[in-house]
Amino acid sequence: MADDTDLAALSCRAMMDVPRIRPVLDKIADKWTIMILTVLCPEPARFNAIKRRLDGITHKSLADALKRLERNGLITRTVFPTSPVAVEYAITPLGHSLRGPFEALCSWALENEQAFAAAARAYDEACP
């Protein structure tokens, strides 16, 4: 782990870069983005297939998220001229570049799930 001097320098640099970092993180650190990209990572999928894999997402939330991800270059939307029209979503190379950080974050979440729960219980017990 970095020493305090390194951490202070990293923190200072991050604070100077907030105007550039924040807009990007706002686009990828929301409730559904990581999960949608995780669904699309192995293979393209249609809307309803994505929705089935993401328990709890509403039709509107998924539609809005897919539009935002397409706008930001993380996925593509392909319309097939069939009857009825078929639409397929696929992850782009830019979207794939998030795989490593997302896998690390998901691994961290799994490793620390119990610590999170314990901390919340301790806090709730200590606070009226």
Side-chain angles (χ1 to χ4, degrees), residues 40 44-50 66 70 75-82 84-90:
L40 293 175
R46 292 176 61 176
F47 185 94
N48 285 329
I50 299 168
L66 290 170
E70 182 182 12
I75 66 170
T76 58
R77 178 180 183 270
T78 304
V79 179
F80 296 97
T82 58
V85 173
V87 178
E88 186 175 80
Y89 298 90

